[in-house]
Amino acid sequence: VAVLGLGRIGSAVADLLASGACAPHLEATIAGALVRSADGRRATTPFPICTEPLAIFDARPDVVIEVLGGLEPARTVVLEALSRGIPVVTANKTLIATYGDELFAAATRFGTPLRCEAAVVAGVPFLGTFAARPLAASVDRVTAILNGTSNFVLSRVDGGVAFEEALADARRLGYAEPDPSKDVDGSDAAEKLAILVRHFARLSIRPSGIAAESIENVGPDEMRAARALGGRIKPVAVAEWSSPDLGCFAGPAFLPEDDLLGGLGGVLNGVRLERRGSAAIHLIGPGAGPEVTARAVLDDVVEALGGRQQVGVGALPRASVGPPASQGYFVTLRATSLPDAVDVADLLAAHGVWIRRWDALQAHPDGELRAFLTFPCLPDELLMALRALAAASACAATSRPIVEARRD
Ligand code: HSE
């Protein structure tokens, strides 16, 4: 195999191969590796290293493993490998989310496997399974925790750890992206969601078209208020579709405490697949970490050498993305002195927002805090209602969508 990138995942792939742990399923050696800068590593690695992207083909690999991350030179080298009939395995969600149409079209045109199981929930091998089982894969809603770092960080914040400390731990453990702002601001989850939309809805979307929200301002007081109202704040990604509409969201959301995804802590990821009239399917496991990702990559190498395609489809119809249907909102109000609940309820109702449950008033370092759940309403109705409330009573509000499994 040729390995593109010797960062934490590429190094874990090399270590796993060197450890002999892959035998007897996979007898592979590294024929060469592409790195951005050799930095004296040529003397320390037991395989040839190059820095010129297309020079990797001099090693005559049977499979190319792409774990460079980012778009270029990954896209160019992957297209070149596919055109040469060399199967490609990638863990690069940015690449697949951005150029999935072009890459899978090339894989189909050249009849060459392209596999990306490690790109989404690396520790749970489900993309390949559902690609081979179209009836089970015929769902119309995906709800998921797709980013291990943000789940790890929010779980630690819930346990009283400061945000920066929790994020530093996630980086040390190899969960976070080289640029951890992608974990924090929801864009990593949005890229993975775009891949799931491609896989299950058969639609092509731009990850940047998905409304993504940061977890950065979710604090322990908001977590406590969510618990008091029977839920948890989790970094959630949702996509639902029914022709011609597609609704997506990635960011912190309120999950009821009996929700299987709501109970997932640490670096765990989870995916719920729903189809109207059927019981939901839940897939749960680790979503990040060098070793878990390396195992998924090397299992994909075994699959690719068996000739199996990941998806086997080329370019898909482009879809535009709106918000998912509202299931209501979890709203937290803070002010030096909050208005009466009845007055808040009246003002919100005048904008079409109806409160379904209040939490008790709490003391807050800057005054008072109170949270409530609403019935479903339009995002704009909530926005206008909270603006009117801020104007009338100088209180600051944060809102998170409520995300629940369908009960039908
Ligand atoms: N940074 C990603 C995460 C790595 O935390 O989920 C796995 O894609």
Side-chain angles (χ1 to χ4, degrees):
V1 297
V3 182
L4 312 182
L6 281 183
R8 295 187 90 148
I9 297 174
S11 301
V13 166
D15 289 348
L16 206 52
L17 283 173
S19 73
C22 306
H25 317 288
L26 178 65
E27 304 278 354
T29 50
I30 298 182
L34 171 69
V35 294
R36 288 184 205 274
S37 154
D39 278 345
R41 274 195 282 189
R42 285 197 175 90
T44 57
T45 50
F47 41 78
I49 278 186
C50 64
T51 52
E52 166 55 40
L54 295 180
I56 195 66
F57 294 103
D58 297 347
R60 307 181 66 79
D62 295 319
V63 178
V64 166
I65 294 174
E66 189 279 303
V67 287
L68 279 169
L71 296 177
E72 289 292 354
R75 169 179 164 269
T76 300
V77 184
V78 167
L79 283 171
E80 180 65 26
L82 293 172
S83 74
R84 292 179 184 222
I86 302 172
V88 175
V89 169
T90 178
N92 184 342
K93 57 249 159 165
T94 309
L95 182 73
I96 297 293
T98 309
Y99 292 126
D101 277 349
E102 180 183 29
L103 299 177
F104 282 111
T108 306
R109 187 161 68 251
F110 297 112
T112 310
L114 167 63
R115 302 191 61 87
C116 61
E117 190 70 63
V120 186
V121 193
V124 181
F126 70 109
L127 292 179
T129 302
F130 280 94
R133 307 192 73 80
L135 299 185
S138 151
V139 298
D140 54 26
R141 188 176 193 225
V142 177
T143 309
I145 294 177
L146 295 175
N147 182 270
T149 300
S150 55
N151 197 23
F152 178 88
V153 168
L154 282 190
S155 304
R156 300 287 300 270
V157 169
D158 201 12
V161 175
F163 184 92
E164 293 304 336
E165 189 186 330
L167 186 58
D169 284 348
R171 296 186 76 175
R172 186 175 45 76
L173 293 165
Y175 301 152
E177 295 303 296
D179 171 8
S181 66
K182 290 189 71 173
D183 297 294
V184 170
D185 68 13
S187 48
D188 177 80
E191 287 176 353
K192 292 165 178 168
L193 188 63
I195 296 174
L196 295 186
V197 166
R198 172 176 187 85
H199 203 78
F200 289 101
R202 297 293 199 220
L203 293 171
S204 170
I205 58 173
R206 281 183 303 108
S208 59
I210 297 174
E213 280 179 21
S214 172
I215 59 162
E216 206 159 6
N217 66 353
V218 181
D221 51 359
E222 201 184 348
M223 299 269 198
R224 270 194 301 279
R227 280 178 185 270
L229 285 166
R232 306 256 193 290
I233 306 279
K234 288 283 172 190
V236 173
V238 187
E240 59 187 23
W241 54 94
S242 70
S243 182
D245 297 320
L246 172 69
C248 296
F249 168 78
F254 178 96
L255 297 181
E257 62 195 1
D258 63 352
D259 189 304
L260 284 175
L261 300 178
L264 303 184
V267 75
L268 282 178
N269 282 194
V271 177
R272 172 164 57 235
L273 301 172
E274 289 176 278
R275 174 172 56 248
R276 284 187 192 283
S278 293
I281 298 170
H282 287 86
L283 304 140
I284 288 167
E291 194 195 322
V292 89
T293 309
R295 284 183 184 273
V297 162
L298 290 174
D299 272 339
D300 257 358
V301 172
V302 175
E303 292 279 306
L305 288 171
R308 283 184 281 277
Q309 272 285 7
Q310 170 94 351
V311 178
V313 290
L316 294 169
R318 269 270 166 191
S320 56
V321 187
S326 168
Q327 297 184 294
Y329 291 89
F330 164 72
V331 180
T332 311
L333 304 178
R334 292 177 187 78
T336 320
S337 172
L338 283 170
D340 281 350
V342 175
D343 294 336
V344 173
D346 281 350
L347 190 146
L348 265 57
H351 290 83
V353 178
W354 298 89
I355 293 176
R356 70 163 128 143
R357 197 172 153 199
W358 281 98
D359 179 23
L361 191 70
Q362 294 175 32
H364 176 263
D366 303 322
E368 295 175 336
L369 175 150
R370 194 158 193 189
F372 58 87
L373 303 179
T374 77
F375 284 102
C377 61
L378 296 175
D380 282 353
E381 288 173 331
L382 183 74
L383 188 71
M384 298 309 288
L386 294 179
R387 271 194 196 149
L389 187 61
S393 65
C395 61
T398 48
S399 64
R400 315 287 177 200
I402 298 172
V403 175
E404 294 185 275
R406 287 190 191 126
R407 308 235 178 236
D408 59 4

